[in-house]
Amino acid sequence: MSREYAKAVGSRLRAIRIQQGLSLQGVEQKSRGRWKTAAVGSYERGDRMISVHQLSELAGFYGVPVSALLPNEDQLPPRERRPRTVLNLEKLAAAPPDSSALVRRWVAQIQRQRDDYAGHVLSIRDGDVRALALLHDTTPQEFAERLRSWGVLETSFPEEHEPHEPPE
C-alpha cells in the first residue's frame, strides 16, 4: 500500500507544481537548490516516500496547506482488509508469570507510550510479534501459538467504516 500512497501524494505534488507554472528545474531554481530536481521528481513519481517534515516544508515552499498535498479518499486504492493482531490484556494478566513477564513489561511500555491504561485489549503491529518472538528465542509462529495457548492472542478484521490510514 505504501507505494500506491506515495504515487497518490506524488500526483498531488505534481498538480500543485504545475498549477504554479513551475518545471522541476524551476522548483530547484526558485528554492535556491533546497529542492533538487531529482528528489522532487522522485516524490512526484512515487519512487521515493516523502517524510512528514519534508512534505510540510514543501507545502510551505509552494504556499499551500499540507492537506493540499495529500490525496483525497477517492484517489486512493481500496484498502486491503488485513487481520489486526490484538492482545487480550485480561488473559495476559492470568498467563504464567515466569514465561509472560517480558510480554507484560513490553505491554506496560506500550500503554505508557499510548497513555492508555484502561484498555482490555491492545492492538499491535505485525512486526511486534516478530520482535517479541526474537526476544523469546523462538519463531513468530511458535510465539503466536504460545500466546494463543494462554488465550492472549486474538485476530480481528478492521471495520469497513474505518478511515483510510496512510502506511507506517
Side-chain angles (χ1 to χ4, degrees):
M1 184 63 157
S2 62
R3 174 102 171 132
E4 289 83 10
Y5 194 80
K7 284 184 174 190
V9 169
S11 177
R12 292 294 308 139
L13 288 170
R14 180 177 293 113
I16 296 293
R17 175 179 57 76
I18 290 170
Q19 284 176 5
Q20 296 194 359
L22 292 169
S23 65
L24 289 171
Q25 293 82 10
V27 169
E28 185 167 352
Q29 290 169 349
K30 186 177 176 184
S31 71
R32 294 188 169 93
R34 165 63 181 100
W35 297 105
K36 303 291 185 202
T37 300
V40 175
S42 290
Y43 295 143
E44 289 184 1
R45 289 187 305 277
D47 294 339
R48 197 169 154 187
M49 290 292 292
I50 188 167
S51 71
V52 173
H53 179 74
Q54 290 170 318
L55 190 67
S56 175
E57 285 188 3
L58 198 51
F61 171 76
Y62 286 137
V64 299
V66 173
S67 61
L69 300 178
L70 298 176
N72 296 323
E73 257 325 283
D74 60 346
Q75 294 174 303
L76 297 172
R79 183 173 164 179
E80 180 184 332
R81 289 192 70 220
R82 291 188 346 202
R84 177 180 295 163
T85 304
V86 178
L87 300 180
N88 181 320
L89 302 182
E90 293 170 345
K91 300 279 185 164
L92 181 60
D98 291 344
S99 48
S100 67
L102 181 59
V103 178
R104 290 176 195 218
R105 285 195 310 271
W106 179 82
V107 163
Q109 178 62 31
I110 298 296
Q111 287 178 306
R112 280 191 294 276
Q113 288 175 345
R114 294 180 185 176
D115 199 24
D116 176 15
Y117 301 98
H120 300 284
V121 296
L122 180 72
S123 294
I124 62 173
R125 298 176 297 204
D126 296 337
D128 294 333
V129 173
R130 289 191 298 274
L132 286 167
L134 182 65
L135 292 172
H136 283 87
D137 197 30
T138 188
T139 68
Q141 294 78 14
E142 290 171 348
F143 187 70
E145 190 50 46
R146 182 183 308 170
L147 292 174
R148 277 189 205 91
S149 74
W150 298 339
V152 171
L153 187 62
E154 300 177 0
T155 303
S156 65
F157 282 89
E159 296 296 322
E160 289 292 333
H161 63 275
E162 284 186 327
H164 174 82
E165 295 176 19
E168 295 179 25

